[in-house]
Amino acid sequence: MGFEKWLKEFNLEKMNRRNFLKTTGKSAAATAIGLSIPAINQTEEIEAVPVFTGNPFTLGVASGDPLPDSVVLWTRLAPNPLAEDGKGGMKNRYVSVQWELSYDESFNNIVLSGKEIAAPELGHSVHAEVYGLKPGKEYYYRFKAGNEISPVGRTKTAPQRDADIKSLTFGIASCQAWTGGRFAAYHNMVEEDLDFVFHLGDYIYEKGDTETLTDYRLLHAQYKTSQDLQAAHANFPFIVTFDDHEVDNDWSDDISDPNYPEGERERFLAVRAAAFQAYYEHMPLRRRSKPNGPDMLLYRKFTFGSLIEFSILDTRQYRDNQVGSGFPGGPLDPEASNTNRTLVGSEQAEWLLKNLRDSRSRWNVIAQQTMMAQYDYDPGEGISVNHDQWDGYSADRDRLFSFIKKYEPSNPVVLSGDWHSSWVNDLKEDFNDSSSKTLATEFVGTSISSGCGWKNQIEAALSVNQHVKFFDGDYRGYVKCHVTHKSWESDYRVVSSPSNPDAVAVTLASFTVKNGKAGAVRIGGVDITRIAADTMMAGQPSPVKVTLSNGTAKQVEVSVNIPVPTGWKSENVTKVLEPSDEAVFDVLVTPPAEMPAAERLRVEVDAGETAVYGPPRDIQVVSALSGENVQLALDGGSSTTPIFPTYKRLVPEDTWEVSNGYGWVGTAPFARDRGNADALQRDLIASREELTIFRVNVPAGIHKVYFLTGDSVYGSANTIIRSDNKLLAEAGYALDPGQFKWLSFELDGGSTGKEIDLEISSELGDGAWRLVAFVMKGLK
Ligand SMILES: [Fe+2]
């Protein structure tokens, strides 16, 4: 069968219905929101020397869509980016904005410059499409408006179409929920040497009631206020595509929700038009992607010499309504494989297959949103899938796979986002037959910040999904890909906490694909399998246990070192690991003797020439004073869990009694046992009540109190302690999961001693304060 004929078959009868929908959709929504873009022809309307109420470049600068001779430069004028009307503090006037391009950061030699008009109907965004550039060349750019100059951005053009470039290095980002923590991943990404960055969707998260252009503008502006996100844009050109949350959760074409009510379509198309416009206004996209009402052309192709070609998909705008139910997976709906249903739509499918057929590149990449590999969430007999992903539209996947099998494009690779977790998948001719041919390789990048609450369901079914070579749901980050004519390498770069800018990105795992052989192979190195430390006794040496395995075929000498703050001590450990050996390195750490401490320490693993892989190397180390030489030492938790040596048990049932000298007054708190750590850290006492009172008998004289807050599994709210309405201590911020902090303050028992009420409350985070340990020590 010839290609044309095959394509025809691929088309089905979708074309007609699609075109019909598109035309009607367009006019309906354009009318609904009264969208009209006036032509600017009167020069007096344009402010050539505007005066701003403040710096108009608060949202940073960006560049994107690199071609051999061109990039698009972006900014949006917004002296007051979060102004309630969504206009960024700008008046309803056209503003002239100048852009400048230079080979160096100092702008001593301006290579090119030009003017754009920032229009109020496009939120005063600027999309300067600059042509006449040199291929494969780095440029610096900036904007000027009135007397204001923007920050400097760096960009890079693509190499000449047929250039024989040696390598390309790029990053993959997706899913950056503002509430997930911002944005340690980008903070680290800017340190990388990347040619460009993909953003595969969920750049913002709508809030369910996000509906108007103003709503969407405000969300985009809020996200763009992150200095780390701005820095990423200023450092690298971006190639972006949206997923669902830029518009609405799980939307399909003109349907906001799989079970949409009557009349909903008109409303949703207006919402979609608003969301598309705000997306365009905030992204470094070319004018070809400027929305026309509820329609936006986002799928496009980028070629980087003879090395690699990327087809960027839009898997939302043209898809059929979702079928099935259940999350993260639900029983396979028979409709999921209906050949009349589509994920990408016929026009885009045709375009994609044509790209794959015509490409002369070594690597052929499909960069898109949801996971393409099949995943069966039912570890038993049944089949359970996520119907929002390609599994819910498997006919399109079958058609693509048949095409790849038949036409054998060179080295197909699929890049995906959406699922807030790291995956490496073999894309199989038949996913249910592990001996069937691997047609392509899929890399699914983890989220920048969005959480993966469904990780356990995925892990439970890994054994019945043999084509999944790697999965991790614990860590946030990005993927770094380095591609040469011989091989592809993907590094899964992760951080310990998405919100902590000090978190250092490390390579969780690395995979390679060899030219001509689909399917990724894990790169062997020294792997960190576990880092753990029990609560230490102040002043006593205690081990941080670092478990390492040698995944290489040779003997490797490994040394582990833990740098410590002043007042601490630690010792290096060096061992020789034979191939496939696993060993625990006990690194002795001595915390200070005089006070308890909680520190995040970084474990350094040096294996010489051999790469080191594994989870983030930070470890929370907690030390406690011995309970023997203090007035009171309490280990908070439930009545059945083990107690920290030398401490007394404190439980919610301990109501105030004079004979005890401590206890709860009024509404009692609750206890939680996480069961995953040592006696002190595994359990805690907590409450979400407005105020909880803990009364303590303070003997005569000044006493120092140490109050340990935190949670070994979940994040903690800011714990606040007052007495007589006076603030004694607070964490000052919500704590990350696994983070602990000792709060300390003094209590005065006067000359004869007295009972003091501690008023414990909380704010931020999950709203629950935590008490893990309580120590009171007399000051001599
Ligand atoms: Fe997401």
Side-chain angles (χ1 to χ4, degrees), residues 1-12 353 357 398-399 402-408:
M1 188 159 45
F3 179 76
E4 296 305 327
K5 195 164 164 236
W6 200 89
L7 274 186
K8 227 177 215 159
E9 189 163 280
F10 192 97
N11 272 341
L12 309 164
L353 299 189
R357 182 198 62 177
D398 292 345
R399 288 185 278 250
S402 320
F403 179 90
I404 289 174
K405 205 181 159 207
K406 189 167 176 64
Y407 293 92
E408 298 184 329

Side-chain angles (χ1 to χ4, degrees), residues 175 201-207 216 219 242-251 316 418 420:
C175 299
D202 288 359
Y203 192 97
I204 58 159
Y205 281 71
E206 40 62 49
K207 294 173 181 163
Y216 284 104
L219 267 182
F242 53 55
D243 191 17
D244 55 337
H245 288 286
E246 283 87 348
V247 181
D248 207 355
N249 184 39
D250 282 6
W251 66 282
R316 286 284 162 194
D418 172 57
H420 307 181

